[in-house]
Amino acid sequence: MKYNKRLTEKIIEYLLFIVAFSALTCVALIVIFLFYEGLPIFEKVGFKEFFFGKYWYPTSDPPAFGIFPLFIGSVLVTILSSLIAVPIGVMTAIYLAELASPIVRKIVKPIIELLAALPSVVIGFFGMVVVAPFLQEYFDLATGLNLFNASLMLAFMSIPTICSISEDAIYGIPTELKEGSFALGATHLQTIIRVIIPASISGISVAITLGMARAIGETMVVLMVAGGAAMIPESIFDPVRPMPASIAAEMAEAPYRSDHYHALFAIGIVLFLFTSAFNLVADYISYKYKEKGSATL
Amino acid sequence: MKQNEIKIKIQNLNFFYGEKQALFDISMDIFKNQVTALIGPSGCGKSTFLRCLNRMNDLIPNSKVEGAVYFDGKNIYDPQVDVVSLRRKVGMVFQKPNPFPKSIFENVAYGLKVQGIKDKYLIEQKVEESLKMAALWDDVKDRLGESAMGLSGGQQQRLCIARAIAVEPEVLLMDEPASALDPIATKKIEELIFELKKNFTIVIVTHNMQQAARISDYTGFFFMGKLIEVDTTETIFTKPGKKETEDYITGRFG
């Protein structure tokens, strides 16, 4: 009996190890493939020219493989969408965790989490047929498909992530900490600003980083509503072409193993490093503030 | 009983968690500059009672209070009473040390800052004074900027006491402040309470009867949400008036 139990445990242990290992191997192989297909472009184009070249004309003769406009497009879309999504997401989280009545919280939180399940193509479609015409008419623009529209739609996408994770962090603050603050004659608002937010800052930061990471890697929305022009924008109403949109739009027409093909994979590498950096930052932040986050003996 | 100035007068206090009544018709007086200990078995309502004195129970949803608590003659459950200013006058130290995840200095300065005090010199002075009073100054004076989470349990609890007295309350409520601490840290807290009663009126909930006997002037015995008996500590521990009290004190139950 005892022997059987131990054997079963061993088998389960090995099974889980194999599953975990094969998942890891697959991911590793994808990364290796990405680098294998992406790196050859640097034999044709220098690093500097690739990263800081201002022109992305992959199909012209001679072609130009400067991803700077694409990179800037991604960065700007991410920053602008964060500027919209972070205040809204975090403030909603504070409201739900601290101020809303239990009934409101019970109803609203699942709805917000459900928003995260909206397929990005639906959000993109909404941006195309509702927001774009509105922007075009209201601001008198050449096109409603632009940096601002894309940022707005990406903000829609990241708000549920930011809000939901921040809310968990704020809600998880030990009651003792709040009571400690109230007992010293602090008002609820003072308690929120001076104790609750600082104590949950690690969770909130992780929420923001994950929300932003989602915006960076998002492809469908930017493909549909960013406008698709590979140029450095001069205003927030200029169309842009973020990196994921370029890959998605061009991969089908790039001849197999051509320079263009390799260049698109190289963009993939940049994107991969970019999102990895974000995840590392999120990990670092949550690690750094972890110990200070709660009251323990 | 010794004749003393009454600081808090509790009259016919009932408390409910939803439908469940936790305190039954409690009346007692708490005297100025004295230590009043509340003893009784777990779940007898002594902590709930303590939390009624600074309206901490307001935070519990669906709770209800009946009766009156007069603080310097004014009923704190009067609708016009400002809870925030009440809590500044009636400080509280909790069972589990609960320092904020901030620096040692910021922890003590917190109560002053939320009052709107901006004068840096004054704050520094008060922080030093409070830490000295809480017998923590020598331990931490060289690392005021470090996180309070790095302190030991006993130091954290003394920090919480320093934090509570920095705002100069008139009454200090202590909810089993030493229950999570080792005997040496407990002794320090007890010595501290003895010092503090010169300046403050102290109400302390304790599980530990020896502790109540050592540090308090008055003792109230709670059982099943009722105040069975309250008298001078000497009377309670030598010739209690009620049989339940005697049974509890002599260790026959609880």
Side-chain angles (χ1 to χ4, degrees), chain B residues 32-53:
Chain B
K32 196 176 174 185
N33 292 83
Q34 302 285 313
V35 177
T36 304
L38 307 175
I39 59 169
S42 301
C44 68
K46 52 195 191 307
S47 289
T48 306
F49 173 72
L50 191 75
R51 292 163 58 95
C52 283
L53 302 183

Side-chain angles (χ1 to χ4, degrees), chain A residues 207-222:
Chain A
I208 292 172
T209 344
L210 288 179
M212 286 173 76
R214 188 165 179 207
I216 294 171
E218 171 53 34
T219 309
M220 192 45 83
V221 167
V222 290

